[in-house]
């Protein structure tokens, strides 16, 4: 009996030893660690300092206007119809569009115009200063210019109301001028029924078209 037990123990020991040797020769495969997908590297986007869309695409469309406005005119501007100051400042291109609203029963006629001009980027501050000075110089004994608060539409913005001081029935004019990139814009609403809040909304829509 003791001999059989000894033989059995010897066999078990041999098996254990051989198992250890095999595991040393053929180790258990390592469990691979979870693969981490690297986060995508953000690619910086460089915004163009000048407008990259055609000037005509920056014009207000009929769908941008209140529903009771009608298209009156829209056209490219030409070099020959620009004044000498614009030539000296390097005017490159322009566009204009005009809409109007009319109600004969209420004797209501209101017009909204948009003028877009492109100048070299280096001259934009000078363009704005000259345009603003030209507006404020219109103030005299019969015409008053009132500067109005207005959200910034780009780099620089100036809004005003132009009204006659001697005739209560004179037409009131609201205007917003602004520069954004290499674009100068002027939006003007005048007529028997004007709304500066609507004009500001349209100026914002126009500024958003500058890409």
């Amino acid at each position: 009996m003791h001999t059989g037990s000894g033989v059995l123990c010897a066999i078990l020991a041999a098996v254990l030893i051989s198992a250890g040797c095999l595991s040393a020769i053929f180790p258990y495969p390592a469990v691979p660690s979870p693969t981490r997908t690297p986060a995508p590297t953000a690619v910086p986007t460089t915004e163009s300092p000048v407008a990259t869309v055609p000037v005509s695409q920056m014009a207000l469309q009929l769908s941008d206007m209140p529903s009771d406005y009608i298209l009156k005119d829209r056209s490219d501007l030409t070099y020959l119809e620009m004044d000498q100051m614009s030539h000296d400042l390097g005017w490159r291109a322009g566009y204009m569009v005009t809409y109007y609203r009319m109600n004969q029963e209420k004797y209501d006629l209101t017009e909204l115009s948009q003028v877009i001009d492109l100048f070299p980027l280096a001259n934009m501050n000078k363009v704005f200063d000259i345009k603003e000075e030209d507006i404020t110089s219109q103030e005299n004994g019969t015409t008053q210019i009132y500067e109005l608060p207005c959200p910034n539409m780009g780099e620089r913005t100036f809004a005003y109301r132009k009204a006659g001081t001697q005739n209560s029935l004179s037409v009131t004019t609201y205007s917003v001028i602004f520069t954004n990139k290499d674009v100068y814009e002027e939006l003007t609403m005048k007529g028997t029924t004007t709304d500066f809040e609507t004009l500001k909304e349209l100026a914002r829509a126009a500024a958003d078209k500058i890409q």
Side-chain angles (χ1 to χ4, degrees):
M1 293 292 294
H2 292 288
T3 302
S5 298
V7 173
L8 180 59
C9 290
I11 293 173
L12 290 174
V15 170
L16 293 174
I17 293 171
S18 64
C21 293
L22 290 174
S23 64
I25 299 173
F26 304 105
Y28 293 108
V31 178
S33 58
T35 302
R36 294 185 178 181
T37 303
T41 303
V43 179
T45 57
T46 303
E47 183 177 356
S48 173
V50 297
T52 58
V53 298
V55 64
S56 60
Q57 291 186 18
M58 293 183 261
L60 292 170
Q61 303 299 312
L62 188 59
S63 58
D64 299 314
M65 301 296 297
S67 59
D68 50 354
Y69 275 81
I70 300 170
L71 175 66
K72 178 181 179 182
D73 184 30
R74 59 183 175 186
S75 173
D76 290 292
L77 298 175
T78 67
Y79 184 84
L80 292 178
E81 64 187 303
M82 305 305 295
D83 57 21
Q84 187 59 45
M85 181 207 71
S86 297
H87 294 169
D88 295 341
L89 291 171
W91 181 89
R92 297 187 293 109
Y95 199 84
M96 58 84 64
V97 60
T98 304
Y99 296 94
Y100 75 95
R101 177 187 63 198
M102 182 173 62
N103 188 323
Q104 294 182 350
E105 294 180 358
K106 297 182 179 180
Y107 301 99
D108 176 30
L109 178 61
T110 302
E111 179 182 274
L112 185 135
S113 63
Q114 177 190 18
V115 175
I116 308 168
D117 292 310
L118 301 184
F119 291 93
L121 196 61
N123 290 343
M124 294 311 297
N125 281 331
K126 187 180 295 186
V127 169
F128 188 90
D129 289 339
I130 291 175
K131 295 288 188 179
E132 183 178 6
E133 183 179 354
D134 181 62
I135 291 166
T136 55
S137 66
Q138 297 175 27
E139 192 170 52
N140 51 46
T142 59
T143 301
Q144 187 72 39
I145 302 295
Y146 303 94
E147 182 176 357
L148 300 172
C150 183
N152 192 12
M153 302 298 172
E155 277 75 34
R156 300 179 67 181
T157 304
F158 178 73
Y160 65 96
R161 179 175 67 248
K162 179 179 178 180
T165 58
Q166 296 182 345
N167 185 356
S168 59
L169 298 178
S170 62
V171 173
T172 298
T173 300
Y174 291 101
S175 291
V176 177
I177 68 172
F178 65 89
T179 56
N180 192 352
K181 298 186 177 184
D182 60 339
V183 181
Y184 168 84
E185 292 207 27
E186 183 170 341
L187 285 88
T188 300
M189 178 184 286
K190 61 182 178 181
T192 55
T193 305
T194 49
D195 183 354
F196 183 56
E197 296 303 315
T198 297
L199 181 62
K200 287 192 294 184
E201 293 176 4
L202 293 172
R204 170 53 58 195
D208 289 343
K209 292 179 183 291
I210 302 174
Q211 303 293 332

